[in-house]
Amino acid sequence: MDAFYDEGTLVAVLTTQPLDRALDYKAPEGGCWQGAYVEVPLGPRKVLGVVWGPGQGDFDYARVRSVIRVLDAAPMRDELRSFLERAGDYTLTPLPAMLRLATRAPGLGDAPSMRKIYRLGDSEPERMTDARRRVLEVLSDMGGLALTQGELAETAGVTPSVIKGLAKMGAVREEEAPRDTPFPRLDPDYGGKALADDQAVAAQDLRAGVASGRYGTVLLKGVTGSGKTEVYLEAVAECLAQGRQALVLLPEIALTAEFLTRVEARFGARPAEWHSGVTVTERRRVWKQIAAGGAQLVVGARSALFLPYRDLGLVVVDEEHDTSYKQDEGVFYNARDMAVLRASICAAQVVLASATPSLESWANADAGKYRRLDLTSRFGASVLPEMRAIDMRAETLPSNRWVSPSLQSEVLARLQKGEQAMLFLNRRGYAPVTICRACGHQIGCPHCDARMVEHRFLQRLVCHQCGETIAKPETCPSCGAEDKLAAVGPGVERLAEEAAELFPQARLAVLSSDLFGSARALKEEIEKIAQGGADIVIGTQLVAKGHNFPLLTLVGVIDADLGLQGSDLRAAERTFQLMRQVAGRAGRAEKPGVALLQTYQPEHPVIRAILSGDEEGFWQAEADERRAAGMPPYGRLAGVILSSTEVQEVFDLGNAMARQDAPLRRIGAQVYGPAPAPIARVRGRHRVRLLVKAPKGVALQPALAEWAAQFRLRGELRMAIDIDPQSFF
Ligand code: ADP
Ligand code: ZN
């Protein structure tokens, strides 16, 4: 049983304000529980906080202020408190910032909002009309149940004023009911599919894990279309049957709609949703119902990990390799790793699902830390796509063209058969570079060291770093020449232009994140494509993620070499994953699919591994290389990004940090840098990067904390530490 603090007892309250400790307050009238969400005075303001433990008592009792009130929410459980503490220790994030992640439901302090509901009253109306009769009939059909005004008006086919009138006469009863209502119950036995043999084996294993009531992580590796979703929904079913809560994390909001439909087919009702597209009122309902146990299943984005579950029994991380699970600003955390941490604290199971797992998860399974289940064939009649290279050195293309004659004729063949083709290019916008043909000047962002990308759809040049946009100039900003600015290189919009010329009879659909104003518009477009509303789909990596396009039989990758340039540690891994995922979009139904990769280096080991499909060989080779270099997952990395408006200031600090590295040397870690970050200026701030490399198994975080604490950040200087960095921007 959690501690209860009587009125006047000192309690330590952690607030979301950037202070370095919890502050003492007196428990309010009526006392409060450990973990209670409270409102406390802080200077002239009232702020949100949580009763974190007993007060420290190192302050004059008479001057300690009282908690203002306890909010109407279930107290934070010990499990969530230790999760926040340990996640904060891991990511070197102060606790108030962690608490902010766990209280992202605006209006938590508000009184529960109410709405009016109606039931049958005791008296007859003096004068009966048709409309009135219909209302009373609907209510009497409902037995004792109540309806909202909207539901009642719609079912009875009347205006709200008819209902109001009846309420005045007492013929219907008007009541206030809380708006934050529980979610409909999900039925674990509602609509299960008959599973194929390998699916059934995997599902049984997952069910047993959930039923054990203990912590465990499983890597569910299944080729695209093998039915991973069907299989992990069985684990969800077991979790619901156990009376515990389940969370399914998806990497992309655009995927939720399709997933919710599948949940409804499987469990007979819709789950709670948690992501940036959910309204404020609904967020509060979800937050409260999760704490109260009125939500059994949450489908959401990475931040759903910080919700106040009453009894979390299962976390599924779908497409676990996806980079969007890593939050790269504010609190730097990887939702995949934090899911494992939280599950280990609350005795829950984790399912990491992917066709192309991260090397981290592959290595954890290899080392026996995770169990591993494999689904090696597609469900039913559909087979994996055949993959081939198009050797671009042998193709003749006019300038400013990117679709090779070979790819063109393959697309035409699909169009003639009434099948869909996809052209994939992982570059947003029209052209990545705008250059002056007179002086060679390239148009760059005024605030960043980045080139402006032309977006014809928006009719602007856009900086992909800071979002700055400018109208495309008519004269060169450098030499003043007129009509000399030229677009160089392709983006999806330009590819669409080329496709329209090559295939004038085809209906094109372009899928790129900036072409859609809302998640809903994007979702509608995706549904339209799935139903055959387009012949050629042109897209960025948005299309690589999990969508089901049954008519699609050909995927053409315009530039398979794109991800292999650059020096990123994960370039090979990312290219491998992306190409296999994109190819996996083809041939999901009965007709077999083909993926064609346009490449200038068909003999590159990564391209060869992609084509041969020798995944274990690829992972093994990649693992050997990382192990030899002491790189993750066989060594540890931390990135440090320093920034300031003053370039000298950042380099001075960076140099001082590189010199005063004793705390790091003590654990056998090395510092590299300072070096200008790959994008050396963003939003007018100069950026310098250091990289810390440590052996696996040392206490890296305490050493980093001690090292960083030696330096004072004055004025404009900022320091961000990124544990296990995924990108090196
Ligand atoms: P993955 O997540 O591995 O890509 P899905 O779970 O989306 O695969 O399954 C691919 C397709 O096959 C979906 O349309 C799904 O409904 C269907 N499917 C998979 N398993 C079964 C099954 N046992 N019975 C019926 N349909 C299935
Ligand atoms: Zn910029």
Side-chain angles (χ1 to χ4, degrees):
M1 196 67 213
D2 273 335
F4 185 81
Y5 301 99
D6 291 319
E7 178 175 356
T9 324
L10 283 184
V11 291
V13 174
L14 180 72
T15 71
T16 55
Q17 304 302 308
L19 306 167
D20 56 6
R21 54 168 276 190
L23 301 176
D24 278 8
Y25 288 90
K26 289 173 188 156
E29 190 184 334
C32 60
W33 290 99
Q34 166 79 32
Y37 291 85
V38 293
E39 194 172 74
V40 293
L42 188 71
R45 289 178 305 152
K46 296 176 183 174
V47 301
L48 175 73
V50 170
V51 175
W52 212 250
Q56 283 103 322
D58 50 0
F59 201 67
D60 177 9
Y61 181 85
R63 290 175 52 204
V64 173
R65 299 163 82 182
S66 275
V67 167
I68 298 169
R69 67 190 178 103
V70 177
L71 305 185
D72 178 36
M76 181 185 285
R77 305 167 50 81
D78 282 353
E79 170 260 314
L80 178 51
R81 191 185 50 191
S82 39
F83 174 55
L84 295 179
E85 285 174 348
R86 288 173 60 182
D89 287 346
Y90 189 87
T91 57
L92 291 174
T93 307
L95 267 178
M98 295 308 296
L99 183 60
R100 269 201 296 281
L101 284 179
T103 49
R104 285 227 179 115
L108 275 186
D110 300 355
S113 92
M114 305 294 275
R115 63 178 172 180
K116 295 195 163 52
I117 55 168
Y118 299 85
R119 313 172 192 278
L120 208 53
D122 314 315
S123 57
E124 287 276 303
E126 301 110 56
R127 193 171 55 80
M128 190 61 90
T129 64
D130 265 0
R132 286 177 177 176
R133 196 186 332 274
R134 287 202 300 275
V135 171
L136 297 178
E137 275 168 12
V138 167
L139 285 176
S140 93
D141 281 351
M142 293 308 291
L145 294 179
L147 291 177
T148 64
Q149 190 180 72
E151 290 161 350
L152 182 53
E154 194 187 314
T155 327
V158 302
T159 59
S161 63
V162 177
I163 300 171
K164 286 277 168 207
L166 285 167
K168 238 187 213 134
M169 300 168 207
V172 307
R173 228 166 55 222
E174 187 178 89
E175 293 166 14
E176 297 268 317
R179 203 184 275 280
D180 298 341
T181 49
F183 287 82
R185 299 296 293 175
L186 305 182
D187 176 0
D189 301 320
Y190 180 84
K193 290 197 166 85
L195 298 180
D197 289 348
D198 59 339
Q199 292 180 337
V201 171
Q204 193 43 44
D205 190 297
L206 295 184
R207 275 183 175 269
V210 173
S212 77
R214 288 198 301 269
Y215 159 74
T217 296
V218 181
L219 173 60
L220 176 61
K221 180 178 179 308
V223 298
T224 49
S226 58
K228 289 184 292 298
T229 313
E230 301 299 335
V231 169
Y232 72 63
L233 285 178
E234 292 307 301
V236 173
E238 182 65 36
C239 184
L240 300 180
Q242 302 280 335
R244 302 182 75 186
Q245 293 166 307
L247 163 64
V248 176
L249 294 177
L250 301 177
E252 182 81 49
I253 306 180
L255 292 171
T256 32
E258 191 185 326
F259 184 73
L260 294 177
T261 313
R262 289 179 75 166
V263 168
E264 195 169 1
R266 178 66 184 80
F267 299 117
R270 297 196 149 228
E273 265 182 87
W274 182 271
H275 52 71
S276 57
V278 174
T279 64
V280 168
T281 330
E282 182 66 4
R283 280 169 95 85
R284 196 177 57 206
R285 173 185 179 212
V286 172
W287 195 96
K288 290 201 167 174
Q289 288 305 329
I290 283 172
Q296 298 161 283
L297 170 61
V298 182
V299 175
R302 58 185 181 222
S303 57
L305 260 184
F306 294 90
L307 287 169
Y309 298 92
R310 201 181 62 167
D311 185 8
L312 183 63
L314 172 69
V315 185
V316 176
V317 185
D318 201 359
E319 311 286 357
E320 68 92 33
H321 63 278
D322 199 291
T323 50
S324 66
Y325 284 122
K326 178 68 194 276
Q327 175 154 306
D328 273 338
E329 55 186 5
V331 180
F332 291 70
Y333 70 93
N334 190 320
R336 178 192 67 217
D337 302 340
M338 292 303 117
V340 171
L341 174 61
R342 185 152 191 191
S344 72
I345 298 172
C346 62
Q349 293 278 312
V350 180
V351 176
L352 306 177
S354 175
T356 53
S358 59
L359 188 63
E360 273 78 2
S361 297
W362 183 89
N364 278 327
D366 198 44
K369 280 170 73 182
Y370 299 167
R371 303 204 308 287
R372 175 169 161 179
L373 299 170
D374 282 73
L375 299 173
T376 50
S377 59
R378 284 195 160 177
F379 176 76
S382 93
V383 291
L384 280 169
E386 176 195 344
M387 299 186 77
R388 289 200 308 260
I390 294 179
D391 186 343
M392 295 300 278
R393 296 167 305 190
E395 301 278 331
T396 22
L397 257 78
S399 63
N400 290 336
R401 292 286 189 180
W402 290 275
V403 178
S404 65
S406 300
L407 181 54
Q408 185 186 352
S409 66
E410 294 277 354
V411 172
L412 276 174
R414 296 306 177 298
L415 295 179
Q416 275 152 14
K417 284 192 278 183
E419 298 170 7
Q420 276 175 340
M422 174 185 286
L423 298 177
F424 174 80
L425 175 64
N426 203 13
R427 253 194 193 142
R428 292 153 52 209
Y430 183 83
V433 181
T434 303
I435 195 168
C436 170
R437 276 177 287 140
C439 74
H441 175 76
Q442 300 184 359
I443 298 188
C445 173
H447 319 294
C448 308
D449 283 346
R451 290 184 293 217
M452 299 292 272
V453 177
E454 180 177 356
H455 285 241
R456 286 234 166 135
F457 179 75
L458 302 171
Q459 299 191 321
R460 312 281 291 175
L461 301 182
V462 179
C463 170
H464 286 185
Q465 290 311 314
C466 72
E468 172 73 291
T469 77
I470 55 170
K472 187 177 173 182
E474 291 182 358
T475 58
C476 171
S478 179
C479 73
E482 276 178 50
D483 295 327
K484 288 287 182 193
L485 291 174
V488 179
V492 271
E493 293 177 17
R494 194 172 199 180
L495 180 61
E497 212 174 78
E498 182 179 349
E501 281 175 38
L502 292 177
F503 314 106
Q505 72 287 23
R507 294 165 302 157
L508 304 184
V510 185
L511 285 181
S512 174
S513 50
D514 15 55
L515 301 183
F516 294 88
S518 66
R520 175 183 297 270
L522 175 61
K523 179 192 129 193
E524 281 166 6
E525 183 70 11
I526 286 169
E527 269 166 19
K528 199 179 95 188
I529 296 170
Q531 279 153 22
D535 304 312
I536 301 180
V537 184
I538 294 168
T540 59
Q541 64 168 355
L542 194 65
V543 299
K545 299 184 182 182
H547 301 293
N548 246 326
F549 298 130
L551 303 174
L552 188 74
T553 57
L554 173 71
V555 169
V557 175
I558 297 301
D559 186 354
D561 308 330
L562 193 57
L564 292 175
Q565 301 146 6
S567 55
D568 194 319
L569 167 69
R570 293 183 172 81
E573 181 185 348
R574 293 274 155 73
T575 303
F576 185 83
Q577 288 162 340
L578 189 59
M579 293 300 112
R580 307 270 321 168
Q581 291 281 342
V582 180
R585 297 307 116 217
R588 307 257 306 179
E590 310 83 55
K591 295 187 184 124
V594 178
L596 298 174
L597 275 57
Q598 296 195 145
T599 171
Y600 284 92
Q601 34 189 340
E603 63 293 318
H604 191 291
V606 175
I607 300 288
R608 293 221 320 242
I610 293 167
L611 295 175
S612 72
D614 174 17
E615 293 182 64
E616 294 305 316
F618 173 78
W619 293 125
Q620 199 62 62
E622 188 66 14
D624 290 346
E625 231 168 79
R626 301 256 192 108
R627 199 181 285 113
M631 284 299 199
Y634 306 98
R636 306 277 319 268
L637 289 182
V640 178
I641 298 215
L642 307 173
S643 70
S644 170
T645 47
E646 296 295 321
V647 66
Q648 194 53 46
E649 204 175 53
V650 248
F651 269 100
D652 288 349
L653 176 61
N655 285 319
M657 289 183 80
R659 270 194 313 274
Q660 292 167 247
D661 64 345
L664 296 175
R665 258 186 291 126
R666 234 173 277 137
I667 60 159
Q670 283 169 288
V671 186
Y672 298 90
I679 297 156
R681 198 165 54 107
V682 173
R683 293 187 180 88
R685 298 180 66 87
H686 297 272
R687 303 161 83 242
V688 158
R689 210 192 71 185
L690 296 107
L691 191 65
V692 176
K693 186 176 157 205
K696 206 176 166 78
V698 298
L700 177 59
Q701 282 87 342
L704 284 170
E706 190 189 334
W707 176 51
Q710 303 175 98
F711 309 97
R712 290 218 151 271
L713 299 179
R714 291 197 192 77
E716 280 291 314
L717 270 173
R718 299 283 176 276
M719 180 195 306
I721 298 185
D722 183 2
I723 306 289
D724 310 330
Q726 287 287 317
S727 58
F728 299 87
F729 54 90

